[in-house]
Amino acid sequence: MKKLGTLDTHSYKVETIQSYGIDVEKRVIYVNSEDYSEEGETGVDFLMASKFIKNLDYLNSISNEPILVKTLNCGGDWFYGMAMFDAIKESIAPVDVHAKAWARSMSSIIIQAGRKRTLSKHSVFMVHYGEYADYGDLRKVTSGVDFYQGMNKVMFDIYANRCFGAKGWGKLSKEKISVAIEAKVKELTDWWLTAQDALALGFIDEVI
């Protein structure tokens, strides 16, 4: 087998990180949109989720040493996002998640699966209801609305489970925190927080 020189090794490593979003040596997975449209980055979709799960499984197959996930993610599809959330929770190796630019919409949920959740100093955090669109007869649309209302409850409970005990909520129970978060979203539609505000309310563990 041909031995790679130092320059070849570095080139291979850069290519791997750029093309596949993984640094095997440092056990870092990079997450960002896989496509771009006229409306901007596509966010969480099948391509992002499938690549992420493969990378996570690969690092788990090597060892159970901690994994760092670095995200640059605007949000996106609920189901593919929850696939990433579940993959992190199911990981044999502990997974820390660090968000740059923002943790918003679906990416603000994915980060909640991390053992340690960190946000860059000038990044922001945003919570809102997911978008839902449908067509068809009344029964079909009503059924879809009812289902997604249940998903909203799942979302607020995920936040509340990680926010519980944060100083910003005082002595509120998880159930009351979930209700309070939803009330804020109903009031503001998009609830934007600075990194420091997100830290105070327990949406993250540290500002980098």
Side-chain angles (χ1 to χ4, degrees), residues 45-92:
D45 58 9
F46 167 76
L47 292 173
M48 178 190 290
S50 60
K51 178 187 286 188
F52 174 74
I53 292 170
K54 290 173 185 176
N55 283 339
L56 189 59
D57 284 350
Y58 181 68
L59 291 183
N60 270 305
S61 74
I62 297 174
S63 79
N64 60 0
E65 291 297 310
I67 296 168
L68 175 61
V69 175
K70 292 187 175 183
T71 72
L72 190 62
N73 183 0
C74 66
D77 184 87
W78 166 265
F79 296 103
Y80 290 128
M82 290 309 296
M84 295 170 68
F85 179 96
D86 288 340
I88 293 171
K89 300 292 282 187
E90 294 162 2
S91 174
I92 298 171

Side-chain angles (χ1 to χ4, degrees), residues 3 9 21 34 39 44-45 53 55 58 64 89 91 93 98 117 119 127 147-148 155 163 169 184 188 193 205:
K3 186 176 181 180
T9 301
E34 295 296 316
E39 298 178 354
V44 181
D45 58 9
I53 292 170
N55 283 339
Y58 181 68
N64 60 0
K89 300 292 282 187
S91 174
H98 175 64
R117 306 156 297 159
L119 200 61
V127 180
F147 176 80
Y148 274 92
M155 175 179 70
C163 290
W169 298 109
K184 200 69 175 179
L188 300 175
L193 300 104
D205 300 304

